[in-house]
């Protein structure tokens, strides 16, 4: 079966503390096409048949809640809850490429309501399955570390599970910088305590602490990126500079 055309209609979402996001889709529609086959037996007569079909569904409504969190590696997770309802207002299916297509289409017209209810009952399991496999696979493979300069990367994985209030979703990213090739290096920079947010007046906001800058400079120092050594031949001889420890005595007393 293949979905050839779809429309999401109107989509809205709400948040519920402590970790729920509620999706509401109304007025969605889709068109499908595919192949079918059937085996049937009537008394001592048995037969098999196959063909193609097209189906149009409209007035699709879906309400589903998902729980957001994080895994052991700091990647976000989405888990559907048992709360899910779905319905299809209109469904029209037509079969073709069979010698008995006309008969099957008559039977489909008589049992349209039953078929519509059957399709409706499969929406929630299909959506939940997609969330648990496809969407979760995408989240686990999303890139959350990025280069910051030539010798440093910044880790944007989650430091704790997302916080959900009645009107906001807050993500807590590590924001830790480390030298390239040393993602597990221990930093001496203390991680700041970021408070929970109980309300928000903005659609989105970002709070950036000095932890990012501090770990960046710490990683640069560990990597020796800014190390510079000066020798006698580092200066132009015509300047008449004689570089010794006494040269810096006036700047670094003791």
């Amino acid at each position: 079966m293949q979905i050839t055309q779809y429309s999401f209609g109107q989509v809205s979402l709400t948040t519920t503390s402590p970790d729920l996001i509620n999706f509401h889709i109304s007025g969605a529609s889709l068109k499908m096409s595919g192949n079918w086959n059937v085996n049937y037996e009537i008394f001592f007569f048995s037969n098999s048949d196959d063909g193609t079909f097209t189906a149009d569904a409209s007035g699709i409504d879906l309400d589903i809640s998902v729980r957001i969190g994080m895994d052991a590696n700091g990647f976000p997770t989405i888990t559907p809850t048992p709360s899910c309802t779905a319905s299809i207002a209109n469904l029209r299916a037509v079969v073709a490429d069979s010698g008995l297509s006309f008969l099957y289409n008559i039977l489909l017209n008589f049992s349209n309501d039953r078929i519509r209810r059957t399709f409706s009952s499969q929406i929630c399991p299909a959506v939940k399955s997609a969330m648990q496999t496809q969407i979760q696979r995408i989240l686990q493979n999303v890139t959350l570390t990025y280069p910051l300069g030539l010798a440093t990367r910044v880790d944007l994985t989650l430091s704790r599970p997302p916080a959900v209030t009645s009107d906001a979703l807050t993500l807590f990213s590590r924001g830790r910088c480390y030298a390239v090739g040393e993602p597990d290096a221990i930093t001496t920079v203390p991680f700041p305590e970021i408070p929970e947010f109980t309300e928000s007046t903005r659609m989105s906001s970002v709070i950036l602490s000095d932890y990012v800058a501090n770990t960046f400079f710490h990683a640069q120092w560990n990597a020796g990126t800014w190390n510079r050594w000066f020798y006698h031949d580092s200066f132009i001889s015509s300047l008449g500079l004689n570089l010794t420890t006494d040269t810096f005595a006036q700047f670094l007393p003791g």
Side-chain angles (χ1 to χ4, degrees):
M1 185 176 67
Q2 181 180 10
I3 297 177
T4 58
Q5 183 178 339
Y6 65 89
S7 171
F8 282 115
Q10 295 182 339
V11 181
S12 62
L13 62 88
T14 58
T15 54
T16 305
S17 180
D19 57 3
L20 290 181
I21 298 180
N22 313 299
F23 292 91
H24 175 67
I25 300 175
S26 62
S29 62
L30 60 84
K31 293 184 178 181
M32 301 172 289
S33 63
N35 302 316
W36 60 270
N37 64 79
V38 62
N39 297 293
Y40 57 88
E41 183 175 342
I42 302 176
F43 296 107
F44 298 103
F45 174 76
S46 61
N47 190 28
S48 62
D49 202 358
D50 59 72
T52 61
F53 78 91
T54 57
D56 297 345
S58 61
I60 303 174
D61 292 345
L62 172 66
D63 286 280
I64 186 170
S65 297
V66 298
R67 179 167 283 108
I68 61 172
M70 61 172 281
D71 63 15
N73 296 317
F75 285 85
T77 60
I78 293 181
T79 306
T81 69
S83 175
C84 181
T85 58
S87 63
I88 300 176
N90 303 291
L91 176 67
R92 180 176 180 271
V94 177
V95 299
D97 299 326
S98 169
L100 297 176
S101 293
F102 72 96
L103 178 60
Y104 297 144
N105 286 321
I106 292 175
L107 295 175
L108 285 174
N109 288 333
F110 276 105
S111 56
N112 183 267
D113 287 343
R114 181 178 179 181
I115 296 174
R116 178 173 53 81
R117 289 193 298 269
T118 300
F119 269 86
S120 297
S121 66
Q122 296 303 311
I123 293 178
C124 282
V127 172
K128 290 182 179 181
S129 176
M131 286 184 174
Q132 292 172 334
T133 55
Q134 301 176 26
I135 296 180
Q136 195 58 47
R137 189 182 304 118
I138 293 173
L139 291 176
Q140 290 176 346
N141 289 281
V142 68
T143 300
L144 291 178
T145 60
Y146 296 91
L148 196 62
L150 297 177
T152 311
R153 296 184 69 87
V154 59
D155 177 10
L156 298 180
T157 54
L158 299 178
S159 61
R160 66 188 193 209
V164 176
T165 62
S166 60
D167 59 358
L169 167 64
T170 305
L171 301 178
F172 301 93
S173 175
R174 297 183 192 277
R176 182 180 70 90
C177 297
Y178 60 88
V180 172
E182 300 180 4
D184 299 323
I186 298 176
T187 178
T188 58
V189 180
F191 189 79
E193 285 294 329
I194 301 178
E196 297 280 356
F197 299 97
T198 57
E199 61 181 13
S200 175
T201 58
R202 298 176 177 85
M203 181 177 296
S204 62
S205 59
V206 176
I207 296 179
L208 189 66
S209 75
D210 58 357
Y211 180 74
V212 178
N214 290 341
T215 55
F216 172 76
F217 288 116
H218 185 268
Q220 292 281 310
W221 175 72
N222 277 341
T225 305
W226 295 342
N227 287 351
R228 295 293 183 271
W229 297 97
F230 297 94
Y231 303 94
H232 287 287
D233 56 0
S234 300
F235 297 90
I236 301 175
S237 58
S238 60
L239 294 178
L241 292 178
N242 184 22
L243 190 63
T244 65
T245 54
D246 293 335
T247 307
F248 299 98
Q250 56 183 325
F251 303 105
L252 302 172

